[in-house]
Amino acid sequence: MSLPKLSSYSGWVVDHVLPNMQENPPPSETSTSPRSTSALGQPSFVPKSPVRDPAFSPASSATPDGTKDKYESQHTEPMVLQSSQGIKVEGCIRMYELLHRMKGAEGLRQWQEEQERQARALSEMASEQLKRFDERKELKHHKEFQDLREVMEKSSREALGQQEKLKAEHHHRAKILNLKLREAEQQRLKHVERERLRKEEGQIRLRNLYALQEEVLHLSQQLDAADQRRDLPRVDLSAFRTRGNQLCGLISGIIRATSENGFPTAEEQAVAERALQEMRDLLVNLQQEIARACEDRRRQDEEEAQVKRQESQVQQGPEVRKEPPASRQGPGGKLNEDLQVKVQDSTMQWYQQLQEASSQCVLAFEGLSNSKDSQAKKIKMDLQKAATIPVSQISTIAGSKLKEIFDKIHSLLSGKPVQSGGRSVSVTLNPQGLDFVQYKLAEKFVKQGEEEVASHHEAAFPIAVVASGIWELHPRVGDLILAHLHKKCPYSVPFYPAFKEGMALEDYQRMLGYKVMDCRAEQQDSFLKRMSGMIRLYAAIIQLRWPYGNRQEIHPHGLNHGWRWLAQILNMEPLSDVTATLLFDFLEVCGNALMKQYQVQFWKMILLIKEDYFPRIEAITSSGQMGSFIRLKQFLEKCLQRKEIPVPKGFLTSSFWRS
């Protein structure tokens, strides 16, 4: 066995353990060893001083010069000498070292386990914290989303509330506005009613004023007739005539002021009534004066006759003076033969038959016209558009397009479906459809004459040629055209409606063809323009035929009706401003065709107009209405000079149909 060697803890043992052991030697060797062993095994034996640094160990106690520590060298001998005790100490040391090592390993293991446990705990805690963080984050997101949704719902509720509030305010304002509108409408209706009553009263006063003027003029004529008596040479009646003229001028001034201001006032009517009463009194005084003068003249004549009888009792009897009856003479010494005022009976019957046919046609489609059903209303509107729109499309530059318009109208009247407004329309959609279309079509043709031809005279010919062609194929449409024409322009019959007692002035003006709006008739220029347009259309219809029709058939309303109209208008008393205008328009449009048809007879008619009818027109025409008379006179004089009636402007020629 090799010699035992001291460990690095030997120095510590020598310093601490051995001195204690020497001072208290164990009683026996056997007892020491177990006690020391047990003491070494106790934790209290572990030195409380820090473990000696390994630098103090024998192995490291050597100095750099290889010398040994004095302390070690001093104890080497005894340690070697005490080998058994050293072995025990060495064993204790080793056991201590082993115990310390085991204890350190156990502590290290426990520390490692603790560290691992702490690491796991920290990891679990971190994982849990991460989970909690995610949960809080998700909770925050949910909360933010919930808050956002609540904000949006709140804003939506606020918006809905604001909308409801605005709607309520709108309804309230609309209600207030409706109330105001109703009040305004009621005020307007009251104002209109007051205005209507005022106008009715004004019309009544105006009619009374006209009646007063007529009576005053009649009384004035009686004054003039009395003043012109030559059998009362010594009676001066000029004062009566002068005052009568003054009263006539007064009433004429009131009427002129009324025409400028609208309707006469009650004061003006009272003034006119006083003037009329004064005129009556004036006439009564005049008649009394004339009666006194006649009585004086009669007594004077009787006295003179008595004297003469006494002077010439033997020579001769009294002479009886007989005055030849005075014959009514007109201007130039010619007898004044009166013309007709009323239309011929046959013509009047024809006029009434056409109006009755028109009324029956209206009754025939009354169910469609007054229907409340939406489908029937739609059919009525489609049929009206299909009938009127093609007529509105007729123009002077239509050319070949005129045939398309004619074919479309003819197809509609024949029951075939036509396209109108993007939809297919047919008169077979309703049992009353054909009557409705025929009436509206005739009405539209006359309205085109009233509006389009009145503004553009050349438009009369293309409209008339289509109307003539439709008239030829559908005679009922032609009768309705005449009925509408006669109703809107009675002078196309010719027919001069008479004023009947008890008739309202507005109704009489409508019978004459005037448009009456708000109890006031239209201006004379507008009235003459419309009448001119309708007469021009009528004059064009009677001379034109549809070029694509059957040429072998006669015209359904040809030139013979134009000759009849011209003859009847010349057999009637002329109307101021109206007769001259209509004669000029008729002859300018239809004169060339009548000249070619009737030749010499036509020129006789023209000479009759110039020589006999012109003086009659001129006699009733005032100075402010001479324009139409001068235009007619110049036109006929130029035609007589050239011995030809010119072709009217816009007349349809063969080039028109090729365009």
Side-chain angles (χ1 to χ4, degrees):
M1 293 177 65
S2 61
L3 293 175
K5 295 181 183 180
L6 297 174
S7 67
S8 59
Y9 298 100
S10 300
W12 184 83
V13 172
V14 172
D15 291 339
H16 296 81
V17 177
L18 290 181
N20 295 329
M21 295 179 65
Q22 289 177 2
E23 291 177 0
N24 300 313
S28 63
E29 186 176 352
T30 59
S31 60
T32 306
S33 178
R35 187 169 59 249
S36 62
T37 304
S38 63
L40 290 172
Q42 298 295 325
S44 62
F45 186 74
V46 180
K48 297 180 180 180
S49 63
V51 180
R52 182 180 296 274
D53 190 81
F56 296 101
S57 65
S60 60
S61 63
T63 59
D65 56 357
T67 62
K68 296 182 179 178
D69 192 312
K70 293 180 180 182
Y71 183 81
E72 184 180 356
S73 64
Q74 290 177 3
H75 295 281
T76 301
E77 188 69 23
M79 292 299 291
V80 174
L81 291 178
Q82 302 175 359
S83 59
S84 59
Q85 189 176 2
I87 290 171
K88 293 179 179 179
V89 171
E90 181 68 20
C92 291
I93 292 171
R94 291 195 176 188
M95 289 178 66
Y96 180 81
E97 288 179 351
L98 180 62
L99 182 63
H100 185 71
R101 191 178 300 112
M102 291 174 64
K103 198 174 182 180
E106 182 66 21
L108 179 61
R109 185 181 61 77
Q110 292 178 358
W111 180 81
Q112 288 178 349
E113 290 177 357
E114 182 69 21
Q115 293 298 322
E116 290 176 0
R117 186 169 61 254
Q118 290 180 359
R120 285 195 299 274
L122 289 173
S123 177
E124 291 176 357
M125 184 176 65
S127 178
E128 291 296 329
Q129 289 180 353
L130 181 60
K131 288 181 181 179
R132 300 293 85 76
F133 177 76
D134 291 339
E135 290 176 356
R136 285 193 298 271
K137 186 176 181 181
E138 186 175 359
L139 180 61
K140 184 179 179 181
H141 288 168
H142 283 300
K143 188 175 180 181
E144 290 177 352
F145 177 74
Q146 188 68 21
D147 293 341
L148 180 60
R149 188 168 62 184
E150 289 179 357
V151 170
M152 291 178 65
E153 291 178 354
K154 184 178 179 181
S155 62
S156 178
R157 287 194 299 271
E158 291 178 354
L160 289 175
Q162 188 70 17
Q163 186 177 1
E164 292 295 331
K165 185 178 178 181
L166 290 175
K167 189 182 293 184
E169 292 180 357
H170 173 70
H171 287 319
H172 181 65
R173 291 179 180 175
K175 187 176 180 181
I176 294 175
L177 184 60
N178 288 333
L179 290 174
K180 291 183 178 178
L181 287 175
R182 282 198 293 270
E183 291 177 359
E185 182 66 16
Q186 291 176 357
Q187 294 293 333
R188 188 187 68 82
L189 291 176
K190 290 180 181 178
H191 178 71
V192 169
E193 183 66 19
R194 288 196 299 269
E195 189 67 19
R196 186 184 65 81
L197 293 175
R198 187 187 67 82
K199 289 181 178 179
E200 287 182 356
E201 293 175 356
Q203 288 287 350
I204 293 173
R205 286 196 294 268
L206 184 61
R207 287 194 294 270
N208 294 335
L209 194 61
Y210 285 147
L212 292 176
Q213 185 185 26
E214 184 178 2
E215 187 174 354
V216 166
L217 291 176
H218 181 67
L219 295 176
S220 177
Q221 289 178 355
Q222 293 182 5
L223 287 176
D224 292 341
D227 184 49
Q228 292 176 0
R229 294 186 62 174
R230 295 291 180 264
D231 56 343
L232 303 173
R234 291 181 293 178
V235 179
D236 187 9
L237 303 179
S238 60
F240 294 96
R241 184 178 60 184
T242 303
R243 183 54 183 167
N245 292 336
Q246 291 176 355
L247 294 175
C248 290
L250 176 62
I251 295 182
S252 299
I254 293 175
I255 291 179
R256 281 195 299 271
T258 299
S259 61
E260 295 176 358
N261 301 330
F263 296 106
T265 62
E267 292 78 6
E268 292 175 340
Q269 185 178 2
V271 171
E273 290 176 352
R274 288 195 296 270
L276 175 61
Q277 187 61 38
E278 186 178 353
M279 180 66 81
R280 290 171 179 170
D281 296 339
L282 193 66
L283 183 60
V284 170
N285 295 333
L286 176 63
Q287 290 174 351
Q288 292 176 356
E289 186 71 22
I290 292 175
R292 285 195 297 269
C294 290
E295 184 65 23
D296 294 341
R297 178 65 179 270
R298 186 182 62 80
R299 286 197 301 267
Q300 183 179 1
D301 291 341
E302 289 179 354
E303 292 175 357
E304 291 179 356
Q306 187 177 4
V307 171
K308 287 182 180 179
R309 282 196 302 271
Q310 292 176 357
E311 291 180 353
S312 58
Q313 289 179 356
V314 180
Q315 296 180 0
Q316 61 183 8
E319 295 182 357
V320 180
R321 293 182 56 189
K322 295 183 180 180
E323 295 182 357
S327 61
R328 296 178 58 195
Q329 294 182 353
K334 295 183 179 179
L335 292 177
N336 188 8
E337 299 177 357
D338 293 335
L339 296 180
Q340 298 176 4
V341 178
K342 296 182 180 180
V343 68
Q344 295 180 359
D345 294 339
S346 59
T347 303
M348 196 63 191
Q349 291 176 0
W350 175 58
Y351 166 78
Q352 291 175 352
Q353 289 174 359
L354 291 175
Q355 296 304 315
E356 289 176 0
S358 177
S359 301
Q360 291 175 359
C361 183
V362 173
L363 292 175
F365 64 84
E366 186 178 9
L368 177 62
S369 180
N370 299 329
S371 176
K372 302 298 182 181
D373 183 38
S374 58
Q375 186 67 23
K377 288 182 178 180
K378 185 178 180 181
I379 292 174
K380 181 184 74 172
M381 187 61 64
D382 291 340
L383 290 175
Q384 184 170 350
K385 289 181 180 179
T388 57
I389 290 178
V391 180
S392 301
Q393 295 173 346
I394 300 174
S395 64
T396 56
I397 57 173
S400 59
K401 188 178 179 181
L402 209 60
K403 190 175 186 302
E404 298 178 7
I405 296 173
F406 177 86
D407 292 339
K408 189 173 183 179
I409 298 174
H410 175 55
S411 299
L412 180 65
L413 293 172
S414 301
K416 299 177 182 178
V418 297
Q419 294 295 321
S420 176
R423 291 194 298 270
S424 179
V425 182
S426 174
V427 295
T428 58
L429 296 175
N430 190 284
Q432 303 173 359
L434 181 60
D435 296 321
F436 179 77
V437 168
Q438 289 176 343
Y439 186 86
K440 290 297 178 182
L441 183 63
E443 184 182 42
K444 184 62 178 178
F445 273 120
V446 177
K447 191 172 183 181
Q448 284 293 98
E450 184 182 9
E451 297 176 354
E452 182 67 21
V453 179
S455 301
H456 306 90
H457 293 169
E458 297 84 356
F461 297 100
I463 297 173
V465 75
V466 175
S468 176
I470 295 297
W471 194 335
E472 186 174 343
L473 296 176
H474 305 276
R476 191 186 183 194
V477 177
D479 293 340
L480 292 173
I481 289 175
L482 282 177
H484 282 289
L485 183 66
H486 292 170
K487 187 174 182 180
K488 287 192 173 183
C489 179
Y491 314 104
S492 61
V493 179
F495 169 50
Y496 299 160
F499 184 83
K500 299 179 181 179
E501 186 177 357
M503 180 185 294
L505 180 60
E506 295 84 358
D507 296 336
Y508 180 62
Q509 289 173 337
R510 290 190 182 95
M511 287 180 62
L512 292 175
Y514 287 89
K515 285 184 176 181
V516 181
M517 299 293 292
D518 296 332
C519 301
R520 176 172 293 184
E522 63 181 325
Q523 296 294 327
Q524 186 71 6
D525 293 342
S526 177
F527 166 74
L528 291 176
K529 183 178 180 182
R530 291 191 304 105
M531 298 299 108
S532 172
M534 287 184 280
I535 285 295
R536 283 180 176 272
L537 178 63
Y538 179 68
I541 288 176
I542 63 177
Q543 64 175 310
L544 291 177
R545 294 196 63 186
W546 181 245
Y548 303 101
N550 188 357
R551 306 299 296 180
Q552 295 179 355
E553 295 183 2
I554 62 174
H555 195 293
H557 196 79
L559 285 172
N560 56 323
H561 289 273
W563 181 263
R564 179 194 60 81
W565 180 87
L566 185 60
Q568 289 191 357
I569 200 86
L570 295 178
N571 283 329
M572 299 176 69
E573 287 288 351
L575 296 180
S576 175
D577 209 13
V578 175
T579 304
T581 300
L582 298 183
L583 278 175
F584 171 77
D585 293 320
F586 185 84
L587 291 174
E588 187 180 42
V589 175
C590 194
N592 182 268
L594 290 173
M595 176 192 69
K596 294 178 180 178
Q597 178 75 17
Y598 296 100
Q599 299 178 359
V600 177
Q601 297 298 325
F602 174 76
W603 289 112
K604 289 181 179 179
M605 185 82 76
I606 298 299
L607 290 173
L608 175 67
I609 295 173
K610 179 183 177 183
E611 295 176 357
D612 293 342
Y613 209 64
F614 274 176
R616 295 181 181 273
I617 298 176
E618 189 174 7
I620 64 167
T621 304
S622 62
S623 59
Q625 298 175 339
M626 295 296 291
S628 57
F629 170 73
I630 293 174
R631 185 167 62 249
L632 173 63
K633 186 177 181 180
Q634 291 177 350
F635 174 76
L636 292 184
E637 287 178 351
K638 187 180 294 183
C639 293
L640 288 170
Q641 183 179 0
R642 296 179 179 179
K643 298 181 180 180
E644 183 183 11
I645 304 292
V647 177
K649 185 178 180 181
F651 187 79
L652 303 183
T653 59
S654 57
S655 61
F656 173 82
W657 301 104
R658 291 195 299 268
S659 60

